[in-house]
Amino acid sequence: MSSIEHPRIAGPPTPAFVIDESALNILVNRFRDALAEHWPNSVMSYSVKTNSLPWLLSYMKRQGVWAEVVSDSEYKLACAVGYTPEQIVYNGPVKSRAVLRSALRNGSLTNLDSKREVRWAAELAAEDPSLNVRVGLRVNWDLDALCPGQSTVVGDMSRFGFDYVNGEFEAAIVQLTDAGASVAGLHMHRNSRSNSPQVYQAAAGVAREIISTFDLELDWIDIGGGFFGSLDDTALFDDYISCIRAELEGAVDLSRTRLVIEPGGSVIAAPVEFHAQVLDTKDIGQRRFVITNVSRTDIDPLFRKQAPYYIVTEAAADTDHPEQVIAGFTCMEDDRLMVLKDSPKLIEGDRIVFRRVGAYTMSYGSSFIEFPPAVYVLHENHLTLVRRAGDVEDYLQGNIWTGGQLQPTGAQPE
Ligand SMILES: Cc1ncc(COP(=O)(O)O)c(C=O)c1O
């Protein structure tokens, strides 16, 4: 979990995220190879919400990876960085009528998740039969019944998709086909608690059952994201895709029906580090506090996890301290990143580097007390700034306020 290290590169100015491009290449290629091996007629689409950094989106685009978006804003963002509608998978429970219509007209692979979306798609199909509207439906299925203990919604139902047991899924099919649209895809996404390929086998099994019950001819089966990924486990992505194929190859024609995957955390968590610096230390009673220039909101916005880390310190080796509370810069008492046990007493200027923090961190982009930190990309031992640190000018953009006028940054008080 932790170590004292001499890193390969001189660290960037802190605070800063660093994306290791070679690690990202490894993970993206590993998924691509698994798809090429087991389901060549497939689409890898990157889950934009996981980390929507523009550099990353354009990296994915260059790799031939599509964008999977779950809101109108993400749809527009994907277009703004250069994705064409045909390279976008449009998901999410709350689409607008206007963007949905535009996505269907322009060939985005679209999975519906609400009754109003079904109504709007049916409306468009009836209005313009020449469009040949083809949509996917998100399926609500009981993960816990098939894989006990795997659901992340403990003791409750998932709220996403249409229930294929109580008639709501069938009603959506009827409404769409009556209007001249076709149900051409299934969207099976579920998050799970472990990295077990059985979760994907279960999702594929439910898709197989639905295909046969409702006699569907599908253009795509979108198995979703939620995969686990680590640089050390070289077989996991292959295991995921091979078990999906094993479950579905008798049910669909693999050369006609595309497999869609939507990886997020499995490709972007591991390649990202976050560099923090010690600003001050203080002893209060028996407690030693180490104050840093980062916040827990930067790397754990939901206050749930503890990232692995390493420390680069100038402290003498014989200064071990049993417990040091690593605290953030904010004024929240619970902005504490971790308790460092039996480590050298950190001193001002030391660096703490949190690892595997690329997923669901930057995209929460907090402007609480400080603006979002800079982001660098590490490429062949060289760091390139791909996002400067946020500042007051960014924050004021788009705002109207009375009595104020935007000053050039140089004129701001220190
Ligand atoms: C529909 C959908 N696709 C893809 C993802 C990406 O999941 P992950 O980052 O776990 O791969 C999510 C995340 O919850 C999701 O809701």
Side-chain angles (χ1 to χ4, degrees):
M1 177 89 167
S2 67
S3 61
I4 310 282
E5 280 195 17
H6 300 285
R8 284 176 295 148
I9 46 149
T14 61
F17 286 100
V18 176
I19 303 174
D20 181 345
E21 192 173 349
S22 62
L24 188 57
N25 290 340
I26 289 171
L27 292 169
V28 168
N29 287 334
R30 214 180 266 167
F31 248 133
R32 240 199 321 235
D33 292 348
L35 290 170
E37 167 79 19
H38 301 291
W39 203 313
N41 182 26
S42 55
V43 172
M44 178 166 166
S45 57
Y46 168 68
S47 160
V48 167
K49 71 177 156 304
T50 307
N51 186 328
S52 54
L53 182 77
W55 177 87
L56 191 56
L57 302 185
S58 65
Y59 165 91
M60 291 295 177
K61 186 171 180 303
R62 283 198 308 280
Q63 303 294 319
V65 177
W66 292 19
E68 185 261 342
V69 304
V70 290
S71 70
D72 289 5
S73 297
E74 285 189 356
Y75 193 98
K76 290 172 192 168
L77 175 63
C79 293
V81 299
Y83 277 100
T84 61
E86 308 83 31
Q87 300 165 318
I88 295 177
V89 175
Y90 185 28
N91 287 334
V94 186
K95 305 172 181 72
S96 73
R97 181 172 181 274
V99 177
L100 177 63
R101 285 169 71 90
S102 153
L104 291 174
R105 280 192 182 284
N106 293 301
S108 300
L109 190 154
T110 303
N111 293 308
L112 308 181
D113 195 352
S114 73
K115 288 183 180 156
R116 66 181 201 159
E117 292 168 10
V118 170
R119 191 172 72 239
W120 291 334
E123 217 173 82
L124 181 65
E127 204 178 288
D128 187 351
S130 69
L131 257 184
N132 187 22
V133 170
R134 302 180 76 73
V135 292
L137 289 176
R138 179 148 177 189
V139 178
N140 184 293
W141 57 282
D142 192 346
L143 172 59
D144 233 15
L146 297 174
C147 304
Q150 288 289 359
S151 175
T152 51
V153 217
V154 180
D156 204 347
M157 312 298 288
S158 159
R159 69 189 168 91
F160 300 112
F162 296 93
D163 187 331
Y164 73 103
V165 178
N166 73 0
E168 293 225 329
F169 182 84
E170 187 169 14
I173 297 184
V174 171
Q175 190 174 356
L176 287 161
T177 46
D178 282 356
S182 307
V183 173
L186 296 177
H187 184 207
M188 309 302 300
H189 175 86
R190 285 300 302 263
N191 286 107
S192 57
R193 290 189 174 274
S194 82
N195 65 1
S196 168
Q198 275 174 8
V199 170
Y200 294 89
Q201 198 177 351
V206 173
R208 198 187 52 203
E209 187 188 331
I210 291 175
I211 290 165
S212 125
T213 309
F214 299 99
D215 196 19
L216 297 176
E217 294 250 330
L218 296 181
D219 295 348
W220 69 86
I221 295 173
D222 184 340
I223 214 78
F227 305 99
F228 284 62
S230 106
L231 287 159
D232 304 328
D233 189 340
T234 54
L236 189 56
F237 293 174
D238 201 77
D239 290 347
Y240 284 134
I241 307 299
S242 68
C243 87
I244 294 166
R245 178 193 167 131
E247 198 65 29
L248 282 166
E249 61 190 340
V252 294
D253 173 355
L254 300 191
S255 64
R256 179 196 189 288
T257 306
R258 283 184 295 183
L259 176 67
V260 180
I261 62 167
E262 305 169 349
S266 53
V267 291
I268 192 55
V272 179
E273 290 181 346
F274 188 48
H275 288 239
Q277 209 137 11
V278 174
L279 300 182
D280 196 18
T281 59
K282 45 165 102 157
D283 292 305
I284 296 185
Q286 299 302 308
R287 217 68 174 133
R288 183 172 184 81
F289 289 94
V290 174
I291 316 302
T292 67
N293 59 352
V294 301
S295 165
R296 188 160 174 185
T297 57
D298 289 316
I299 52 166
D300 182 23
L302 304 180
F303 281 53
R304 277 188 198 153
K305 293 190 217 154
Q306 158 77 71
Y309 60 89
Y310 61 88
I311 286 166
V312 186
T313 180
E314 297 290 328
D318 59 356
T319 62
D320 260 21
H321 197 275
E323 282 197 352
Q324 301 174 74
V325 179
I326 310 298
F329 63 76
T330 73
C331 307
M332 288 191 296
E333 278 291 12
D334 56 355
D335 187 2
R336 300 170 183 213
L337 292 107
M338 64 176 166
V339 176
L340 194 58
K341 301 223 166 160
D342 301 319
S343 287
K345 270 188 182 173
L346 298 188
I347 56 175
E348 190 178 331
D350 282 352
R351 188 174 285 252
I352 305 173
V353 182
F354 298 93
R355 301 176 51 238
R356 300 182 50 82
V357 290
Y360 307 101
T361 49
M362 281 181 229
S363 48
Y364 278 84
S366 170
S367 287
F368 180 60
I369 303 184
E370 278 296 350
F371 301 116
V375 185
Y376 292 82
V377 169
L378 174 64
H379 176 80
E380 292 172 0
N381 286 335
H382 182 75
L383 286 173
T384 305
L385 181 70
V386 296
R387 182 182 81 183
R388 64 166 169 72
D391 63 18
V392 172
E393 288 178 30
D394 300 326
Y395 191 71
L396 292 177
Q397 280 271 325
N399 282 269
I400 297 168
W401 75 105
T402 31
Q405 199 183 349
L406 187 55
Q407 301 287 320
T409 310
Q412 297 294 313
E414 288 287 283

